[in-house]
Amino acid sequence: MDDEFGDDVDFSALAAVEKTTPAQSSSSAAASSSGPKKVQQPKPQALPNRSGPSAILVSPRQKGNPILNNVRSLPWEYSDIPADFVLGATTCCLFLSLKYHRLHPEYIYNRIRNLGHLYNLRVLLTMVDIQNHEESLKELSKTSMVNNLTLILAWSAQEA
């Protein structure tokens, strides 16, 4: 088997196995030609319990938040949580209005610090409700990068 690529030991071993298997394959072909083979159905398995809640958990701080009026596809309930919203076992969301951020710029930093590293996916949902938003968004973008947050912008409560 010398050719331009050289002698391949694995290929030689495979060729030797193929030479010995035709007798075995002819006996299995005779057995399968005697009748149709039964199809074996998979056995049903119990689904594992969900690790997270089936509803969005909302902090009592968010009472009166206009975006709650637009959440209709999933149930939500109030719960004592460090984030504004808990969307799953490892996902949370902080809500920030830029109007509020202009009046209280330290608020979001305290909330991020209190959140710690409890969640793998941390979202900062920001409602852009002011005209001159460029500087605020630049600052929040840097803060999000440093603190491992995903920044999502919305221009209305319906969009949020």
Side-chain angles (χ1 to χ4, degrees):
M1 293 221 31
D2 284 333
D3 57 1
E4 61 187 69
F5 298 112
D7 192 19
D8 190 1
V9 178
D10 292 333
F11 182 73
S12 302
L14 182 62
V17 169
E18 286 179 357
K19 289 179 184 174
T20 59
T21 55
Q24 294 171 351
S25 64
S26 63
S27 64
S28 64
S32 65
S33 64
S34 63
K37 196 172 186 181
K38 287 183 88 176
V39 176
Q40 183 175 359
Q41 294 291 325
K43 294 182 178 157
Q45 299 176 357
L47 293 174
N49 291 336
R50 292 184 58 179
S51 59
S54 60
I56 296 174
L57 299 179
V58 180
S59 173
R61 275 187 222 98
Q62 296 303 310
K63 283 186 180 175
N65 190 330
I67 70 168
L68 291 176
N69 298 333
N70 298 301
V71 178
R72 296 186 193 105
S73 61
L74 289 171
W76 57 271
E77 59 190 37
Y78 289 111
S79 180
D80 188 27
I81 52 175
D84 291 333
F85 304 98
V86 172
L87 309 172
T90 61
T91 306
C92 75
C93 179
L94 293 173
F95 177 78
L96 181 66
S97 163
L98 285 186
K99 264 186 200 173
Y100 189 83
H101 180 63
R102 270 227 178 126
L103 296 172
H104 307 281
E106 74 287 342
Y107 169 78
I108 195 62
Y109 302 109
N110 293 333
R111 294 296 311 280
I112 293 170
R113 188 179 321 111
N114 293 340
L115 196 61
H117 294 285
L118 295 175
Y119 302 95
N120 293 338
L121 177 59
R122 303 170 345 147
V123 176
L124 178 57
L125 178 58
T126 306
M127 189 157 71
V128 182
D129 50 1
I130 59 175
Q131 290 297 321
N132 300 328
H133 54 271
E134 291 84 10
E135 286 301 315
S136 298
L137 290 179
K138 193 176 193 181
E139 172 195 345
L140 288 173
S141 181
K142 288 178 186 177
T143 301
S144 297
M145 295 273 293
V146 169
N147 292 296
N148 193 24
L149 290 163
T150 301
L151 180 64
I152 297 180
L153 304 178
W155 272 259
S156 68
Q158 295 83 14
E159 190 178 4

